[in-house]
Amino acid sequence: MEDPYDANTNPGGYVNLGTAENHLLFDAIAPFLREAAVIVEADAHYNELYGISFLREAVADFLQIRAKRPLSPEHIVIASGASAVLELLAFTLCDPGDAILIPTPYYPGFDYDLGLRSGAELVEVPLDSPDFRLDEARVEAAFADATSRGTRVRAVLLTSPHNPLGQVYDEALVHRVVDFATRKEIHVILDEIYAESLLPGVEHFSGLRIKNPLIHVVYGFAKDFGLSGYKVGILHSESAQVVAATQELSYFHTVSTVTQRMLAGLLRDPQLPELLRYARSRLNDSYGRVIEKLSQHGIPYLPGNGGIVIWIDLRAFLRSSSFEDEQRLWQELLDQERVSISPGQAFHCKEPGWFRLCFTAPIAHLDAGLERLGRGLTRTP
Ligand SMILES: Cc1ncc(COP(=O)(O)O)c(C=O)c1O
């Protein structure tokens, strides 16, 4: 961050393809935000700390397209980022020592969001290379194993589209996991922060479509809207108890009224569907660019269909199949080529050699980063 790449002013700087941020949209979204940035006196004062009704109403209207059924603003809680929403859920659902099941590899932020302060234990549901396919039998096995150790399992977490795998779960799988959870009376947290970031023709099955008080859907503005700095997260839950508890706790994670006003204006803008279509076409362009370059450089990858990252397979570029060597490769790419990608170990991946690359960096960064990656990998081992 101290020495970032810039094609004109700092071509020798570091290229960051490691952080999952969407840089493709700001030029398109800025006019919407400027238009929505109105100053009204009500916003200068305290209001509902869990999200002002005008934003919760706009969010409910926006999300019900995905839900394909009416949603109520009463079931929505706004907090400062999806991370904050996840923490609210962990505090609400778990006592210290209770477990949340999570398929690996998973987004490393979950360790902090769900586990760090709540004291919940994150129990891994390990998935196998090279396709990392989830099935409900794996969830059941992890549940049985944790229960036999005397651990109380309170929830299972699914991320769709997935970070770092860049894929969506199909409808049948989501139903099977929800059915299992319902039988065991455990909760299902569905992190859908990348729900609008889909490649053409891809159907994302949202947990919002299922009416079940055990399902809690997490969304936010960080990825699909490229507004990670605004720090706004959304919870939708049809459990009165979960909504009541998270509303109370959100006191510590409130979003500024000014930000809420702008985002409500953005969601109410009649041009929003066009903006989202444009966002998808840019996503598709970048995805096309990244897979073309990866293929040119002989770098295998897990084909993606949703999200802003791609899971690449650098196992053939390791000297030995070890996490030490994965770290060595990561460090060499960083030091010698000045390109940053994220090593699989950080995602609790069980096999060394997998890395996550974010393809929604600015286009010039993406091109330079892929060039450097290709060069760095021809030099190793
Ligand atoms: C799956 C997932 N959930 C949550 C977050 C955190 O989102 P926010 O920046 O809104 O706290 C991220 C950010 O990378 C993410 O990838």
Side-chain angles (χ1 to χ4, degrees):
M1 279 178 143
E2 281 171 14
D3 184 13
Y5 171 82
D6 183 286
N8 301 316
T9 58
N10 193 19
Y14 287 85
V15 174
N16 179 7
L17 304 181
T19 310
E21 278 202 285
N22 189 343
H23 289 268
L24 304 178
L25 287 181
F26 189 72
D27 54 346
I29 209 170
F32 288 76
L33 297 170
R34 289 200 187 98
E35 174 87 16
V38 288
I39 305 295
V40 294
E41 184 176 355
D43 292 352
H45 305 297
Y46 288 127
N47 210 312
E48 293 143 309
L49 296 176
Y50 51 89
I52 305 173
S53 55
F54 62 72
L55 179 58
R56 286 184 292 111
E57 281 159 15
V59 165
D61 288 349
F62 173 66
L63 291 183
Q64 66 196 19
I65 303 167
R66 198 179 303 156
K68 300 192 195 299
R69 64 188 177 103
L71 299 181
S72 164
E74 303 300 312
H75 296 142
I76 285 169
V77 176
I78 306 290
S80 51
S83 306
V85 172
L86 290 161
E87 186 177 69
L88 294 176
L89 282 172
F91 271 123
T92 300
L93 302 177
C94 300
D95 287 329
D98 286 349
I100 301 175
L101 307 178
I102 312 187
T104 65
Y106 66 75
Y107 160 62
F110 289 148
D111 290 327
Y112 306 100
D113 304 344
L114 295 167
L116 187 64
R117 295 198 296 183
S118 73
E121 186 195 338
L122 275 56
V123 170
E124 299 181 0
V125 180
L127 302 183
D128 298 331
S129 172
D131 61 356
F132 301 93
R133 192 170 297 280
L134 177 66
D135 59 60
E136 74 283 11
R138 303 256 175 171
V139 178
E140 291 183 27
F143 177 89
D145 190 47
T147 310
S148 72
R149 282 188 278 114
T151 302
R152 189 171 74 138
V153 176
R154 293 290 289 153
V156 52
L157 182 142
L158 299 183
T159 309
S160 181
H162 195 273
N163 173 11
L165 299 177
Q167 295 181 335
V168 299
Y169 289 131
D170 65 41
E171 174 172 354
L173 176 69
V174 176
H175 276 298
R176 287 199 298 272
V177 173
V178 169
D179 290 347
F180 170 73
T182 309
R183 280 201 304 281
K184 297 293 178 193
E185 296 181 344
I186 63 172
H187 298 258
V188 181
I189 302 171
L190 264 158
D191 186 328
E192 299 189 355
I193 195 165
Y194 300 95
E196 297 293 329
S197 299
L198 302 173
L199 294 182
V202 175
E203 275 285 318
H204 168 243
F205 181 78
S206 169
L208 293 169
R209 289 179 60 182
I210 311 172
K211 192 169 171 57
N212 180 333
L214 290 171
I215 299 180
H216 316 294
V217 175
V218 180
Y219 188 57
F221 289 87
K223 313 294 175 175
D224 293 340
F225 293 92
L227 297 174
S228 32
Y230 283 34
K231 289 305 301 178
V232 180
I234 294 166
L235 168 67
H236 177 272
S237 169
E238 285 167 330
S239 155
Q241 287 158 298
V242 168
V243 169
T246 50
Q247 278 183 347
E248 289 292 321
L249 289 168
S250 69
Y251 174 86
F252 300 106
H253 302 285
T254 302
V255 179
S256 154
T257 51
V258 177
T259 307
Q260 295 192 52
R261 173 78 56 190
M262 284 169 79
L263 295 178
L266 171 70
L267 294 182
R268 291 278 185 220
D269 196 302
Q271 304 297 317
L272 180 69
E274 216 167 283
L275 177 72
L276 292 173
R277 268 196 298 278
Y278 174 75
R280 283 189 191 183
S281 77
R282 290 195 91 167
L283 186 82
N284 188 34
D285 290 350
S286 277
Y287 182 77
R289 223 175 172 101
V290 82
I291 57 168
E292 189 191 321
K293 285 279 158 49
L294 290 174
S295 305
Q296 274 172 17
H297 293 303
I299 302 171
Y301 57 89
L302 193 68
N305 56 18
I308 64 174
V309 296
I310 187 162
W311 191 233
I312 62 173
D313 178 3
L314 303 187
R315 287 177 298 171
F317 301 94
L318 296 186
R319 290 179 192 140
S320 68
S321 179
S322 68
F323 286 110
E324 290 71 34
D325 203 50
E326 177 180 283
Q327 183 69 20
R328 185 266 319 153
L329 178 58
W330 174 79
Q331 194 72 53
E332 277 181 20
L333 289 167
L334 187 72
D335 295 343
Q336 295 170 15
E337 296 299 335
R338 300 190 150 216
V339 60
S340 165
I341 53 176
S342 308
Q345 190 178 25
F347 301 87
H348 299 255
C349 186
K350 297 295 156 233
E351 192 184 357
W354 291 86
F355 288 77
R356 187 193 75 176
L357 183 156
C358 174
F359 58 88
T360 52
I363 294 293
H365 294 225
L366 184 64
D367 287 347
L370 290 166
E371 219 39 62
R372 292 175 183 195
L373 189 62
R375 198 172 52 211
L377 292 175
T378 6
R379 247 208 324 266
T380 54

